[in-house]
Amino acid sequence: MALRFETRASDSPWVDTVWTCTSERVTRMTSVAAVCWGLVFWQLDGVPYAGVSGPESRTGTAPVPEGAAFVGIEFAVGTSLRVAPAAALVDGGVALPDATRRMFRLDGLRFETPGPDDAEALVDRLVRAGTLIRDPLVTQVRRGRRPDVSARTVERRFRAVTGFTQGAVRQIERAREASVALAAGVAVADVVTRFEYFDEPHLARALRQYVGRTARQLRDGTGGPIALDLLQRVTS
């Protein structure tokens, strides 16, 4: 039983990562908290599907179509679909109609279904069509800049756009990064120090809330299929 991931970085400022996944004898998986929303395309028994996946505030379980092959685009925090703000998609998603192997429909327009190497071309078309937008203030904050507005305004805008507070985003991203480090064999004490957890119980609570795994399970590779590329086979 396995979910086989491959993740690559992107040079597009609109995109966080592009990923592919195949499921082999898997019907359920542990879902993992995530701050990015995405577009997902998959085929099952020769039938194509497309959907919008929302950010996830916590871990849980999710069904997996056995034998499916997926292509996904995870968008940078601060981006949104014009017709479906990321904040409205938290812990949810939307199936896209009229998907074929070549085309899908979004925002009343038809776009070519991408492969893993065509993601940026699709994103460019979405931007030109006005279907994909982003909030410049949130983008500045994510790049470490300080906008010339009050901290309260920044926090209100950030939450309105993303559905999360800045603190929640940091906690989720930290738990995901800590999970990858544990899966790579980094000692628990070193993970606590590296990711600035107070102590091992603090790390354990974060993993339970956001990842659905214990540190030992992550280090031993046990616990079953999980919606996180713990091997981080990132290519450019």
Side-chain angles (χ1 to χ4, degrees):
M1 296 172 59
L3 292 175
R4 301 188 182 278
F5 280 97
E6 183 167 323
T7 306
R8 72 168 177 84
S10 173
D11 58 4
S12 169
W14 298 82
V15 177
D16 186 71
T17 54
V18 179
W19 57 272
T20 60
C21 177
T22 55
S23 63
E24 298 178 1
R25 292 179 294 145
V26 175
T27 58
R28 297 191 69 80
M29 67 179 178
T30 300
S31 61
V32 177
V35 298
C36 296
W37 66 277
L39 290 175
V40 186
F41 307 90
W42 71 99
Q43 289 195 31
L44 178 63
D45 297 329
V47 180
Y49 301 88
V52 181
S53 60
E56 297 184 60
S57 63
R58 59 190 178 274
T59 185
T61 58
V64 179
E66 184 177 358
F70 300 84
V71 174
I73 305 171
E74 296 293 314
F75 289 89
V77 172
T79 63
S80 289
L81 290 171
R82 185 182 64 82
V83 294
L89 294 169
V90 173
D91 295 327
V94 179
L96 296 179
D98 304 327
T100 71
R101 292 186 180 184
R102 299 188 60 182
M103 306 290 290
F104 69 100
R105 186 182 298 277
L106 178 61
D107 195 15
L109 302 172
R110 300 284 287 178
F111 297 94
E112 292 182 19
T113 301
D117 297 327
D118 306 320
E120 285 77 12
L122 170 61
V123 170
D124 286 345
R125 289 192 290 271
L126 292 171
V127 172
R128 289 197 302 271
T131 297
L132 184 62
I133 59 177
R134 63 182 171 189
D135 187 298
L137 187 146
V138 174
T139 299
Q140 287 181 13
V141 170
R142 290 290 289 178
R143 292 174 178 173
R145 300 172 186 169
R146 293 186 176 181
D148 189 20
V149 295
S150 69
R152 177 177 291 183
T153 297
V154 170
E155 190 62 49
R156 184 171 59 247
R157 185 95 151 258
F158 196 95
R159 185 161 191 165
V161 170
T162 69
F164 295 112
T165 64
Q166 293 183 73
V169 167
R170 287 191 293 268
Q171 290 174 39
I172 291 170
E173 291 181 330
R174 179 170 63 166
R176 291 171 66 96
E177 292 169 2
S179 297
V180 172
L182 288 165
V186 179
V188 173
D190 292 338
V191 170
V192 168
T193 301
R194 180 186 301 182
F195 295 100
E196 299 182 342
Y197 286 99
F198 296 128
D199 50 27
E200 291 188 19
H202 184 206
L203 170 63
R205 288 193 298 273
L207 295 177
R208 184 169 59 249
Q209 180 177 357
Y210 298 123
V211 184
R213 289 287 187 276
T214 64
R216 173 171 290 182
Q217 286 175 321
L218 289 164
R219 286 173 57 83
D220 294 346
T222 58
I226 186 169
L228 181 62
D229 185 1
L230 292 171
L231 299 180
Q232 289 292 291
R233 295 186 295 273
V234 176
T235 59
S236 59

